[in-house]
Amino acid sequence: MSRLLLLNGPNLGILGHREPEVYGKATLADIEATVAQEVKGNGWDVVSVQRESEGELIQAIQSSYDTVGAIVNPGALMIAGWSLRDALANYPRPWIEVHLSNVWAREQFRHESVIAPLASGIVVGLGAYGYELAARALLNLTKD
């Protein structure tokens, strides 16, 4: 069975409790279940990793080169996660960057992602539904 990497950065483990007016009420477990449901028809399994530190996220990427693709929500590491960027630059499969909120409708410091130029695509501002769309995009990008 093929595996899809679902990678979530700092503070995303508390989704559902963290500023629900900004990030929504869906928990990370809800999102994981939705993504798994979306890709199971293609014979994919989901490997979900959420870590608070950049180094642990890098290790997860480096140990997942055998996955078919990735959905990556780096959280605030999008702003200055240069080591994360380098790890994603070496990731050999397509990946989609996802953000729950519309980062361009928020504070100025959130308006640039250091990893976005490397992504196969970006989904922003659609809440938990963005993960489902990212999964669909990866299914399309990895068709033989």
Side-chain angles (χ1 to χ4, degrees):
M1 178 172 278
S2 297
R3 299 178 316 133
L4 169 71
L5 176 62
L6 177 59
L7 190 71
N8 284 280
N11 296 308
L12 294 167
I14 57 172
L15 289 177
H17 304 286
R18 179 186 180 207
E19 299 178 79
E21 68 281 1
V22 174
Y23 299 105
K25 295 181 180 177
T27 65
L28 189 53
D30 295 334
I31 291 168
E32 291 166 350
T34 298
V35 171
Q37 181 67 31
E38 188 64 37
V39 301
K40 80 174 185 176
N42 207 53
W44 292 4
D45 201 11
V46 175
V47 176
S48 185
V49 177
Q50 187 279 321
R51 298 290 184 269
E52 303 302 334
S53 75
E54 189 171 6
E56 290 179 308
L57 293 169
I58 291 166
Q59 288 174 335
I61 293 165
Q62 292 173 346
S63 64
S64 298
Y65 288 169
D66 63 338
T67 55
V68 294
I71 298 170
V72 179
N73 184 338
L77 290 173
M78 70 178 263
I79 300 163
W82 291 103
S83 296
L84 181 63
R85 182 194 190 283
D86 288 348
L88 287 165
N90 199 53
Y91 180 71
R93 306 282 184 253
W95 59 275
I96 308 291
E97 181 176 351
V98 173
H99 294 282
L100 294 156
S101 67
N102 180 350
V103 294
W104 291 282
R106 298 183 64 196
E107 303 91 344
Q108 180 70 35
F109 72 87
R110 299 182 192 274
H111 293 185
E112 186 173 343
S113 169
V114 299
I115 69 169
L118 303 175
S120 300
I122 304 169
V123 181
V124 177
L126 299 176
Y129 182 57
Y131 285 87
E132 184 178 340
L133 293 175
R136 288 182 187 178
L138 283 171
L139 287 168
N140 188 55
L141 288 170
T142 59
K143 284 183 181 175
D144 293 330

